[in-house]
Amino acid sequence: MKPTGRPLLLTNATEHVPAWMRLRDSVLTLLLWFGCGYMWLQLFPEIERWFEARGREDLSFELPAIVGIVQQGMLLVAGLLVFYLSWALRTWRQTEADLLRPAPEALAPGEEVRAYGLPAADLPALRAASSFTIETGPDGQIGRWQEGRGQIPPLARP
Amino acid sequence: MNPLLESVQNFTFLYPFVMAFVWIAGGLLFYWRRESFLAGPDTAPDLPSTPSMSVLVPCYNEEALVAETIGELDKLRYPDFEIIAINDGSRDRTGERLEALRLQYPRLRVVHQAQNRGKALALRTGALVARSEFLVCIDGDAILAPYSLHWLMRELLLRGNVGAVTGNPRIRNRATLLGRLQVGEFSSIVGLIKRAQMVYGRVFTVSGVVCAFRKRALADVGYWDPRQQTEDIDITWALQLGGWRVRYAPNALCWILMPETLAGLWKQRVRWAVGGAQVFYKNAPRLFRPAGFAMWGILADYLLSVLWALSFAGLCALWVLQISTGPEIDFGLPGPLPTLAGLLMSGVFLLQSVVSLGIDRRIEPGVLRQFIWLIWYPLAYWMLSAATSVVGFLQVTFGAKRRAGTWVSPDRGVGS
C-alpha cells in the first residue's frame, strides 16, 4: 500500500505507470476518435441528400428513421424545458424568500439524547472526552461507554 | 419491426438525448445565477460569523490512508472546528493509528465503536458526541480543500431552512483510463446534474464523501437510517420530504480516490443502484403527500433512468440473441438503438461534456484536457451504468438485498 505523502493528483508520472500502458490507452483512444469521426462524417452526405430531397419536394427520397425521432426529441426537449424553466422560476422566488428565514435554534441536550436512549446527564462527559469506546446497538441506541480505547467491561458506566 | 419493440428502441434513444439538453440548460442556468460571480475555491467567502463545526470522519479499516486525511483536515483554514474520527470496529490497526494521531493533533477526538455497525450508525454516533450544531461528514480516505468548510458554512448560514449542503468531490487518481474517465464523469454527469437539479430546488443525493448538515434537521428526520445501503441518498430524501432544503456548494472541494479496476467499479456502482432502489421503495408512499409533490421531478428522473436501463439491457439481450442464432429468430433489430442513434447520442454526450468541463474550469483550470478520454464514456460506461442499474434495482425489487448498510471498501486506485 502507498499510504501518505502522495501528491494531490495521482498521474502517470506520480504513479509510475508503465510506458506500454500509457501507449495502449493513447492509441486505443485515438483509434476510437478516428472511428467515430469517420462514422460521423458518413452522416453528412446522408443529411445533405435529405435536405436536397426536401428542397425538390422529392417524396420518393426515404427519410432516415432517425430524423423523425430527432424531430420528436427536439419537440420533447422544448416542452420539457418550458416546464423546467417555469418550475425553476418558482424555485428561485422561493429561495430568495428563504434568505429572510431565521436560523433555527440549536438542539437542547435533552432533545439530542432522546434518539440515543442515553441519560442527558452523560452528555457533558461524553463531549469532554477526547477518546472513548462506545457500545451502539443495531438500532443506534447507546448501551454503554467508557473513556479510552479498549473492551467495555460488562455493565461499566462512568 | 414489432411496434412495441420500436417504441422501446426509440425510448432508449430519446431519454438520454432529451435529458442531455435539460441538464445542459440547467447547468448553465445554475452557473449564471449562482456560481459565476463566486470567488475561486482557494479563497474564503465573506461570512457573517464563523460558528464552530464538527468534522466527522467514519473509518473502517483505513489504517493506510487515515493519517493523510486527518493531517490535511488539521490544515483547514476555518477558525473553529473539531475533528471526530469514528473507528467503526475496524479489524486492522486503524484504532492504534487514530490514538497516535490524537496525540499529534489536539483538535482530534476519537470514538471507538465496540462493534462494526456500518457508516450510518458511525455517523449517528459522531453526531451525538459532536460539540457543534454544524456537522461536516467526509470519508476516511478523502482530502478536504483548505477553504471547504467556509463554503459549506456559507450555504448553511444564508438560509435558515437549509438542512444539508453537498460539496464537490474531485477525483485524485488520474493515472489510468478508468480514473480519467471518472474525472470526466464527475464533471459531465455528477456535477452537471447536481447543478441542474438545484435549479428546480431538489437534489437526488448529497455526496456522502463530502456533505454538511444542521444537527436540528438531522434530529428532525431521525438521523441516518442504518437499514439503507447508501445513507447519503436516504438522508437527502428524508430531509427534503421533511421540509428542509439541500444546497450545492461547488467551491467546497473534496479530493477522493475512486476504483480503478472494473471489479471495484462494478461493486461500487451496484451498491449505488441498490441504495437508490431502497430509497425509492422506502419513500414511495410519502411522495403522494403534499410535502412530497416537489420531489416528483427527482422521482420522474430516477424512474425514467431505471426504465432506460431496463430497456437498454433488454434490447441488448434481444439483439445478441438475434445475431447469435440463425434467421429463424429475427426481431428486426439492426442494433440495440435505432440506426445512427448511437452516433447522435455520443455527439450529444460530448457536447454535454464540453459544457460541463467548461463550467468546471472555474474550479479546476486544465480539466478540459480530460475531454479527450471521454470518447470511451458512451461506449463502455453507459453499458456498465445500465447493467448495474438493472442488477441493483432487481436485487431490491425481489428482496434479495434488503439488508442493512455495511462497509464496502472499494479499491482506491492503482497505487493503493
Side-chain angles (χ1 to χ4, degrees):
Chain A
M1 281 200 170
K2 292 181 186 173
T4 57
R6 292 193 291 180
L8 194 62
L9 293 183
L10 309 174
T11 59
N12 279 331
T14 65
E15 300 303 287
H16 309 293
V17 175
W20 69 267
M21 275 177 74
R22 281 185 275 169
L23 188 69
R24 180 200 60 188
D25 291 352
S26 305
V27 168
L28 286 177
T29 305
L30 280 177
L31 279 176
L32 196 57
W33 271 107
F34 285 132
C36 285
Y38 176 70
M39 287 192 280
W40 280 320
L41 285 176
Q42 280 192 325
L43 278 180
F44 289 113
E46 182 86 357
I47 293 167
E48 202 178 300
R49 278 202 301 276
W50 178 61
F51 273 112
E52 278 171 13
R54 269 180 73 100
R56 294 195 308 271
E57 294 186 357
D58 180 1
L59 298 179
S60 65
F61 183 83
E62 196 185 339
L63 195 73
I66 191 67
V67 176
I69 304 172
V70 169
Q71 282 175 340
Q72 289 171 23
M74 293 318 288
L75 206 66
L76 260 175
V77 168
L80 204 56
L81 276 182
V82 169
F83 179 70
Y84 175 80
L85 293 177
S86 354
W87 197 343
L89 199 66
R90 188 175 153 268
T91 305
W92 286 344
R93 286 190 184 137
Q94 273 176 1
T95 43
E96 295 306 319
D98 286 344
L99 288 169
L100 303 173
R101 281 176 187 263
E105 280 180 23
L107 282 173
E111 284 178 285
E112 278 200 62
V113 294
R114 197 175 300 145
Y116 294 87
L118 189 77
D122 278 15
L123 202 54
L126 199 62
R127 289 192 174 157
S130 65
S131 167
F132 51 92
T133 306
I134 201 159
E135 196 178 81
T136 312
D139 55 356
Q141 299 290 298
I142 289 180
R144 290 164 292 157
W145 69 277
Q146 68 174 24
E147 280 199 49
R149 178 167 185 255
Q151 295 288 319
I152 298 183
L155 300 173
R157 171 171 257 157
Chain B
M1 196 196 310
N2 179 314
L4 178 67
L5 262 187
E6 194 174 348
S7 307
V8 173
Q9 204 190 32
N10 289 347
F11 170 73
T12 54
F13 166 70
L14 281 175
Y15 170 71
F17 181 82
V18 170
M19 290 312 290
F21 286 104
V22 174
W23 291 331
I24 289 172
L28 287 172
L29 269 174
F30 180 84
Y31 179 74
W32 167 58
R33 289 274 305 179
R34 303 271 177 227
E35 200 178 340
S36 57
F37 54 84
L38 294 179
D42 50 353
T43 52
D46 285 332
L47 295 176
S49 61
T50 49
S52 71
M53 299 184 95
S54 299
V55 183
L56 309 185
V57 190
C59 308
Y60 178 64
N61 295 346
E62 294 285 4
E63 65 169 336
L65 295 163
V66 74
E68 184 174 43
T69 300
I70 303 292
E72 293 297 324
L73 278 176
D74 194 62
K75 292 181 199 161
L76 294 181
R77 307 289 174 83
Y78 196 78
D80 183 8
F81 70 101
E82 62 172 348
I83 307 166
I84 300 172
I86 307 115
N87 169 28
D88 187 29
S90 296
R91 284 176 296 178
D92 64 358
R93 292 170 50 83
T94 303
E96 286 97 315
R97 293 300 299 266
L98 286 172
E99 283 300 318
L101 288 166
R102 186 170 64 82
L103 303 176
Q104 197 179 340
Y105 302 109
R107 66 169 96 232
L108 173 64
R109 299 168 62 210
V110 181
V111 182
H112 301 279
Q113 297 229 105
Q115 292 97 13
N116 172 238
R117 293 289 186 205
K119 187 177 174 186
L121 282 186
L123 287 171
R124 194 182 152 106
T125 306
L128 176 72
V129 304
R131 294 166 184 156
S132 166
E133 170 69 5
F134 299 103
L135 310 177
V136 174
C137 307
I138 71 161
D139 283 358
D141 59 346
I143 293 179
L144 270 185
Y147 291 103
S148 290
L149 295 191
H150 289 82
W151 289 105
L152 291 167
M153 182 56 92
R154 176 179 178 270
E155 295 296 334
L156 286 164
L157 290 180
L158 265 179
R159 296 170 180 82
N161 61 348
V162 173
V165 183
T166 174
N168 188 353
R170 315 294 303 177
I171 312 293
R172 285 179 70 194
N173 35 352
R174 300 168 179 204
T176 61
L177 193 55
L178 268 183
R180 289 189 286 252
L181 264 175
Q182 287 173 97
V183 177
E185 181 195 23
F186 268 68
S187 176
S188 314
I189 305 286
V190 179
L192 196 71
I193 291 178
K194 266 207 185 99
R195 286 179 174 94
Q197 289 178 341
M198 277 307 303
V199 169
Y200 64 76
R202 300 292 184 278
V203 293
F204 180 74
T205 181
V206 295
S207 299
V209 68
V210 52
C211 46
F213 296 96
R214 197 186 292 276
K215 218 193 266 183
R216 171 164 287 282
L218 288 173
D220 215 25
V221 299
Y223 297 91
W224 294 269
D225 182 350
R227 292 167 300 175
Q228 303 298 311
Q229 291 256 324
T230 46
E231 81 301 327
D232 46 359
I233 306 178
D234 181 61
I235 197 75
T236 310
W237 282 56
L239 286 170
Q240 291 177 117
L241 286 168
W244 293 92
R245 293 285 172 271
V246 177
R247 307 282 304 168
Y248 174 47
N251 274 2
L253 307 187
C254 181
W255 297 93
I256 61 173
L257 295 168
M258 290 296 276
E260 280 186 290
T261 62
L262 278 175
L265 199 62
W266 171 265
K267 259 190 220 166
Q268 184 193 51
R269 299 307 159 102
V270 168
R271 192 176 68 82
W272 289 0
V274 165
Q278 281 185 329
V279 170
F280 164 69
Y281 281 117
K282 178 185 167 188
N283 291 293
R286 294 179 68 191
L287 294 168
F288 293 94
R289 295 179 201 159
F293 291 159
M295 290 292 283
W296 279 26
I298 296 289
L299 176 73
D301 197 7
Y302 170 71
L303 286 179
L304 285 172
S305 69
V306 171
L307 196 61
W308 176 83
L310 290 169
S311 310
F312 188 57
L315 286 172
C316 284
L318 288 181
W319 182 65
V320 169
L321 186 68
Q322 180 184 278
I323 58 167
S324 58
T325 53
E328 62 276 8
I329 296 181
D330 185 6
F331 303 105
L333 282 170
L337 287 169
T339 316
L340 307 180
L343 286 176
L344 265 171
M345 267 168 67
S346 52
V348 171
F349 172 77
L350 291 175
L351 172 72
Q352 179 185 326
S353 305
V354 168
V355 171
S356 56
L357 290 171
I359 290 174
D360 265 6
R361 277 177 64 205
R362 188 187 68 79
I363 291 161
E364 194 188 333
V367 72
L368 210 51
R369 280 199 293 269
Q370 306 297 331
F371 177 72
I372 187 91
W373 307 106
L374 284 178
I375 189 71
W376 285 100
Y377 201 92
L379 189 78
Y381 236 70
W382 277 348
M383 288 190 195
L384 178 84
S385 170
T388 53
S389 298
V390 169
V391 170
F393 192 78
L394 295 182
Q395 276 181 350
V396 178
T397 302
F398 296 108
K401 211 162 183 178
R402 287 190 187 149
R403 59 181 165 82
T406 48
W407 286 96
V408 181
S409 298
D411 70 79
R412 272 73 174 259
V414 289
S416 57

